[in-house]
C-alpha cells in the first residue's frame, strides 16, 4: 500500500500532545538517554531530538547514521503505552559539551518489514493483545502484552523482573496470544533478543515463531491482515478501510480483566524522591542481570552508579531510606533481599566511620551477591518464587559459584573487597555456611557483619513457606545460634535499629495497625501511618500520626505480620 502522508510522523505528533517521555537506547548499553522532541514536520517526517549524553560515548547510541528510541505515553489511570522506533535515519550534531541534537527522518509508514522481510504491524494507539509464555511446562508462565506482530514473529512487553527467567536463543514451548474478542494464536517461539523497554520497568522480548504448520500460517496471515486494517483506521492511513477489525472489540472476559487492572494499577506519579531512588536501584539490578545473562558483558558503570546512588540516599536521610526499603516487599526476592541488606550494611558502616575506604567496594559486592540465583534459573530450577524442594534448595546453594564463574566468563574481575563480600556473605563462623565452609578465622569483620544482616533480614520476611518473625524473635534466634553469628555485632545491630525497626507494622490496643515511619533514641515509634482499623477491616485508611496523637489509636502493643491482615505497604 502507498500512503501520501507520513503516517509515522502523524502518530508521533499525536503522542506529543500527551504526557510522554522519550528514551534513546542502544542494544549494547544498559542505560538510556532521555530526550526531547524539539521539532517535527508532520508532512515530511523530519524530526529533531535533543538529549544530554551525561558523559557517555554518543557513538554507542547513534551508529551508522541510525538512531533507536522508545516513546512512553502515560495513561490517565497510571499505566503506560510504549511506541518503538528502531534504526531511524539520523544526523548527529554536537551542540554543547554533553548536549546533542539528532536530526531524524521518520519512515513514511508505521508498517515496516521485519528481518524476515514480512510486514511488521505495530500495536499502537490503544491496540492490544495479551501474551502468555509457558516457559516451563506446568512450572512457569510469564504474562505480557503484544507490541508488534508479523507472520514470522512478534515483540512482547513483560515486567522487567520476569526477564530473569529468559535468555537469548531460548525456546519457549508455548506462546499464547489472546486478542480482546477472544481469538487466540498458539505457537512455539524462539527468543531472538531481550532489552530494557521504555523507562526500563519493562523488557522487550523479540520472539520468532518456529515449527509452524500450514493451518497456523493461514491463521497468522488472517490475524496480521486484520491488525494491518486496524492500524490503517487508527492512524488515518486509509480512511476508506471501513469498520475496525472485530479482533480488537473487547469481549466479556477482556472487559473483566481491564476493570481489574484499572483497580490494581499503582499511582507512581506522587512517589517521593527516596522511593523513586530505591525503585530505580531495583530496576538497574534487573538490567545488569539482563546484560550479564544475555550479552555476556558486565556493565560495571551501572553497578557503581547504583553504589553511589545508595550511598547518597543513606547520607541524605537514613530514616526515610529505611522506610522506603519496605516498599520493596513486592519485588523479586533476590532483588529485595540484596537492596535491603546492602542499604543496612552501608548505613551500619557509615555510622561507624563515614570515611572508611572499605564502604564503596563492600556495597558493590552486596548489591550483586544474590545475582547468581536468577542466573541458575532453568528446567531444574524454573522459578525462585515457589516453595522449593530439598533438591532445589541444595542446587541453589551453588549460586555464589555460579555468579563468580559468570563474572569471570564476562571478563570482569571484582576488587578484593568486593570479592570478599561475594565469596563470604553466606559463610558462618562454625563452618556450616557455603560455598566453602569457612570458619571464624577465615572471615573478616565485613563478612561477619553482612552474614548477620542477611540472617536477620531473612527471618523477618516470609521464606519458603515460613512466616516472617517479629524483630525480637529474629534477634533471639540469631542470639541462640551464636556459634554461627557474631554476638557482639548483634548487640550493636539492636542498638542501632531497635526492637521496633522503621518499616515494620505496629499494632495498637484500640485495634489499629500502622506502619512505623520514625522512632526515637530508645527505638520506640514516634510517627506512624495508620492503615487499618480492625473494627472495619474492609475500609482502607491512610493517616499519619505523631506520638502525641497515639492516644487516638491506643497503646502500642508490638509488631504484627502484614500478611495476617492482607496489608500491603503503599508507595
Amino acid at each position: 500500500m502507498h500512503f501520501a502522508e507520513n503516517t509515522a510522523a502523524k502518530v508521533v505528533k499525536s503522542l506529543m500532545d500527551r504526557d510522554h517521555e522519550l528514551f534513546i537506547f542502544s542494544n549494547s548499553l544498559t542505560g538510556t538517554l532521555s530526550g526531547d522532541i524539539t521539532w517535527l514536520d508532520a508532512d515530511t517526517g523530519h524530526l529533531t531530538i535533543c538529549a544530554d549524553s551525561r558523559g557517555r560515548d554518543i557513538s554507542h547510541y547513534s551508529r551508522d547514521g541510525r538512531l533507536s528510541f522508545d516513546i512512553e505515553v502515560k495513561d490517565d489511570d497510571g499505566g503506560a503505552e510504549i511506541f518503538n522506533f528502531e534504526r531511524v535515519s539520523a544526523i548527529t550534531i554536537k551542540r554543547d559539551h554533553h548536549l546533542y541534537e539528532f536530526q531524524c527522518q521518520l519512515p513514511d509508514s508505521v508498517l515496516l518489514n521485519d528481518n524476515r522481510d514480512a510486514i511488521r504491524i505495530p500495536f499502537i494507539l490503544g491496540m492490544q493483545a495479551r501474551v502468555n509464555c509457558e516457559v516451563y511446562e506446568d512450572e512457569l508462565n510469564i504474562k505480557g502484552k503484544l507490541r508488534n506482530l508479523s507472520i514470522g514473529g512478534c515483540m512482547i512487553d513483560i515486567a522487567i523482573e520476569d526477564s530473569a527467567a529468559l535468555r537469548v536463543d531460548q525456546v519457549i514451548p508455548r506462546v499464547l496470544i489472546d486478542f480482546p474478542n477472544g481469538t487466540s494464536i498458539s505457537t512455539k517461539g524462539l527468543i531472538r533478543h531481550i532489552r530494557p523497554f521504555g523507562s526500563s520497568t519493562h523488557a522487550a522480548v523479540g520472539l520468532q515463531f518456529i515449527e509452524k504448520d500450514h493451518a497456523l500460517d493461514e491463521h497468522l496471515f488472517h490475524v496480521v491482515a486484520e491488525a494491518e486494517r486496524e492500524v490503517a483506521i487508527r492512524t488515518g492511513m486509509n480512511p476508506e478501510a471501513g469498520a475496525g477489525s472485530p479482533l480488537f472489540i473487547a469481549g466479556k472476559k477482556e472487559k473483566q480483566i481491564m476493570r481489574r487492572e484499572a483497580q490494581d494499577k499503582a499511582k507512581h506519579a506522587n512517589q517521593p524522591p527516596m522511593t523513586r531512588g530505591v525503585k530505580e536501584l531495583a530496576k538497574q539490578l534487573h538490567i545488569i542481570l539482563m546484560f550479564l545473562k544475555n550479552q555476556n558483558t558486565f556493565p560495571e558503570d551501572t553497578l557503581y552508579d547504583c553504589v553511589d546512588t545508595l550511598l547518597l540516599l543513606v547520607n541524605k536521610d537514613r530514616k526515610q531510606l529505611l522506610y522506603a526499603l519496605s516498599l520493596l516487599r513486592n519485588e523479586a526476592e533476590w532483588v529485595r533481599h540484596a537492596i535491603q541488606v546492602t542499604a543496612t550494611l552501608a548505613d551500619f558502616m557509615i555510622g561507624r566511620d563515614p570515611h572508611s575506604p572499605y564502604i564503596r567496594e563492600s556495597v558493590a559486592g552486596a548489591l550483586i551477591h544474590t545475582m547468581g540465583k536468577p542466573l541458575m534459573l532453568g528446567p531444574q530450577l524454573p522459578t525462585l518464587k515457589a516453595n522449593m524442594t530439598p533438591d532445589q534448595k541444595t542446587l541453589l546453594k551453588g549460586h555464589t559459584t555460579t555468579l563468580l564463574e559468570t563474572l569471570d566468563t564476562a571478563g570482569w574481575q571484582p576488587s578484593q573487597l568486593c570479592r570478599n563480600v561475594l565469596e563470604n556473605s553466606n559463610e558462618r563462623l562454625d563452618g556450616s555456611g557455603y560455598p566453602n565452609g569457612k570458619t571464624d578465622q577465615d572471615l573478616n569483620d565485613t563478612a561477619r557483619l553482612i552474614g548477620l544482616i542477611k540472617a536477620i533480614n531473612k527471618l523477618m520476611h516470609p521464606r519458603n513457606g515460613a512466616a516472617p518473625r517479629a524483630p525480637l524473635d529474629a534477634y533471639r534466634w540469631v542470639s541462640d545460634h551464636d556459634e554461627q553469628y557474631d554476638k557482639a555485632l548483634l548487640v550493636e545491630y539492636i542498638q542501632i535499629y531497635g526492637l521496633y525497626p522503621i518499616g515494620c507494622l505496629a499494632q495498637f490496643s484500640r485495634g489499629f495497625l500502622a506502619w512505623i515511619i520514625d522512632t526515637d533514641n530508645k527505638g520506640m515509634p514516634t510517627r506512624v501511618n495508620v492503615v487499618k482499623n480492625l473494627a472495619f477491616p474492609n475500609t482502607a485508611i491512610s493517616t499519619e500520626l505523631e506520638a502525641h496523637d497515639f492516644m487516638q489509636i491506643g497503646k502500642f502493643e508490638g509488631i504484627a505480620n502484614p500478611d495476617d491482615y492482607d496489608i500491603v505497604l503503599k508507595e
Side-chain angles (χ1 to χ4, degrees):
M1 280 188 271
H2 175 73
F3 305 103
E5 60 182 353
N6 189 302
T7 53
K10 186 176 179 180
V11 169
V12 172
K13 187 175 187 301
S14 71
L15 303 181
M16 292 171 64
D17 296 331
R18 300 163 64 186
D19 183 14
H20 70 278
E21 294 179 276
L22 185 146
F23 303 96
I24 301 169
F25 67 88
S26 165
N27 288 327
S28 63
L29 294 179
T30 59
T32 59
L33 300 180
S34 295
D36 294 305
I37 299 174
T38 57
W39 170 256
L40 172 65
D41 188 322
D43 294 324
T44 64
H46 293 160
L47 173 75
T48 301
I49 299 172
C50 284
D52 189 327
S53 69
R54 296 183 294 174
R56 294 174 177 168
D57 185 349
I58 205 68
S59 65
H60 290 300
Y61 295 92
S62 179
R63 287 187 171 182
D64 303 322
R66 300 286 176 175
L67 193 74
S68 298
F69 54 92
D70 297 324
I71 300 178
E72 185 168 322
V73 178
K74 305 296 183 183
D75 297 334
D76 294 336
D77 58 5
E81 190 174 6
I82 303 173
F83 298 77
N84 171 234
F85 296 85
E86 293 190 29
R87 295 187 55 76
V88 173
S89 177
I91 298 172
T92 303
I93 301 173
K94 188 173 184 177
R95 292 298 186 190
D96 205 342
H97 185 51
H98 288 158
L99 184 64
Y100 287 83
E101 181 178 282
F102 304 96
Q103 297 180 354
C104 307
Q105 175 60 58
L106 293 172
D108 292 335
S109 172
V110 294
L111 304 178
L112 302 173
N113 288 351
D114 64 14
N115 293 333
R116 292 167 292 277
D117 205 32
I119 292 292
R120 184 176 63 206
I121 312 299
F123 277 51
I124 56 177
L125 302 179
M127 292 172 61
Q128 68 169 327
R130 301 181 188 279
V131 182
N132 185 70
C133 294
E134 188 178 77
V135 182
Y136 302 110
E137 188 175 357
D138 299 326
E139 290 283 356
L140 177 63
N141 288 275
I142 293 177
K143 297 183 183 299
K145 292 188 176 180
L146 198 62
R147 289 304 182 186
N148 66 48
L149 177 67
S150 71
I151 302 298
C154 66
M155 185 172 77
I156 65 173
D157 167 4
I158 64 173
I160 196 164
E161 57 265 27
D162 288 335
S163 68
L166 306 178
R167 64 171 69 243
V168 172
D169 294 330
Q170 180 177 352
V171 173
I172 306 299
R174 185 167 182 257
V175 179
L176 179 65
I177 302 174
D178 286 317
F179 290 88
N181 74 335
T183 298
S184 64
I185 296 173
S186 180
T187 183
K188 199 172 184 178
L190 177 69
I191 297 177
R192 306 302 294 178
H193 64 80
I194 305 175
R195 69 168 179 87
F197 200 28
S199 58
S200 301
T201 57
H202 293 247
V205 182
L207 291 170
Q208 178 185 348
F209 299 147
I210 59 175
E211 299 181 16
K212 299 183 295 175
D213 57 22
H214 179 68
L216 178 58
D217 269 334
E218 285 193 338
H219 191 30
L220 280 167
F221 272 112
H222 168 71
V223 167
V224 169
E226 288 292 295
E228 183 177 359
R229 179 157 67 99
E230 187 71 20
V231 167
I233 292 172
R234 297 199 184 204
T235 61
M237 288 191 300
N238 187 0
E240 300 177 359
S245 169
L247 283 179
F248 299 95
I249 299 174
K252 183 178 179 180
K253 179 181 177 182
E254 177 65 18
K255 288 178 180 178
Q256 290 175 341
I257 295 174
M258 292 171 67
R259 279 196 297 269
R260 188 163 59 247
E261 285 181 342
Q263 294 169 354
D264 292 342
K265 279 179 181 175
K267 295 181 179 180
H268 299 292
N270 297 321
Q271 284 184 344
M274 191 66 73
T275 301
R276 290 198 298 271
V278 169
K279 292 289 187 179
E280 179 66 21
L281 288 175
K283 180 179 75 176
Q284 293 301 325
L285 287 185
H286 285 296
I287 293 174
I288 290 173
L289 171 66
M290 182 186 295
F291 275 72
L292 184 59
K293 190 170 186 176
N294 292 288
Q295 297 195 19
N296 195 31
T297 58
F298 184 76
E300 182 182 54
D301 290 347
T302 303
L303 171 62
Y304 283 98
D305 282 346
C306 291
V307 170
D308 294 337
T309 296
L310 183 53
L311 294 177
L312 177 66
L313 295 178
V314 173
N315 287 308
K316 184 177 182 181
D317 191 325
R318 59 177 296 272
K319 287 190 173 182
Q320 277 191 20
L321 173 61
L322 293 175
Y323 185 69
L325 291 173
S326 302
L327 297 172
L328 296 171
R329 191 179 298 273
N330 295 322
E331 267 290 343
E333 174 67 13
W334 70 272
V335 171
R336 179 204 61 75
H337 183 68
I339 295 177
Q340 290 180 345
V341 166
T342 305
T344 306
L345 176 69
D347 181 51
F348 203 107
M349 295 180 75
I350 289 173
R352 281 177 162 182
D353 178 7
H355 306 294
S356 168
Y358 305 114
I359 294 175
R360 193 167 187 260
E361 289 301 315
S362 297
V363 167
L367 272 175
I368 61 172
H369 84 279
T370 59
M371 198 169 284
K373 294 182 178 182
L375 285 171
M376 296 183 72
L377 289 173
Q380 290 181 293
L381 188 66
T383 178
L384 299 174
K385 296 179 181 179
N387 295 336
M388 296 183 189
T389 65
D391 287 344
Q392 288 175 332
K393 291 179 183 179
T394 301
L395 178 67
L396 195 59
K397 286 187 176 181
H399 72 87
T400 300
T401 302
T402 297
L403 175 60
L404 291 170
E405 290 176 349
T406 305
L407 292 174
D408 186 59
T409 302
W412 189 70
Q413 293 298 322
S415 69
Q416 185 176 352
L417 292 172
C418 180
R419 181 176 287 275
N420 170 57
V421 173
L422 295 178
E423 290 183 346
N424 299 322
S425 59
N426 293 291
E427 300 287 1
R428 301 290 175 262
L429 301 182
D430 62 352
S432 62
Y434 64 89
N436 297 313
K438 294 181 179 180
T439 61
D440 57 346
Q441 296 177 343
D442 306 310
L443 303 175
N444 64 13
D445 186 68
T446 302
R448 294 169 183 238
L449 176 57
I450 192 171
L452 173 79
I453 295 171
K454 281 173 60 64
I456 294 172
N457 187 272
K458 288 177 182 178
L459 290 167
M460 288 175 56
H461 289 83
R463 190 175 180 85
N464 289 324
R469 295 174 183 254
L472 182 58
D473 291 336
Y475 299 155
R476 186 177 291 116
W477 187 95
V478 173
S479 178
D480 290 343
H481 292 77
D482 57 354
E483 75 280 2
Q484 297 183 28
Y485 304 99
D486 191 318
K487 205 160 190 174
L489 286 176
L490 174 62
V491 172
E492 191 175 353
Y493 184 100
I494 296 172
Q495 289 172 342
I496 295 172
Y497 301 105
L499 302 180
Y500 314 110
I502 291 171
C504 289
L505 186 68
Q507 186 161 4
F508 290 83
S509 60
R510 297 181 67 180
F512 288 90
L513 300 174
W515 295 108
I516 299 174
I517 299 176
D518 199 358
T519 57
D520 60 19
N521 292 334
K522 296 181 180 179
M524 296 298 293
T526 58
R527 186 157 63 99
V528 299
N529 180 28
V530 183
V531 291
K532 188 175 283 287
N533 180 354
L534 295 179
F536 304 96
N538 296 322
T539 302
I541 54 178
S542 179
T543 303
E544 287 194 15
L545 294 179
E546 302 285 345
H548 56 78
D549 293 319
F550 283 2
M551 64 184 73
Q552 300 177 36
I553 55 178
K555 183 180 178 182
F556 171 64
E557 293 185 328
I559 300 299
N561 178 7
D563 294 337
D564 290 343
Y565 302 96
D566 195 26
I567 294 177
V568 177
L569 186 57
K570 299 295 183 182
E571 299 178 9

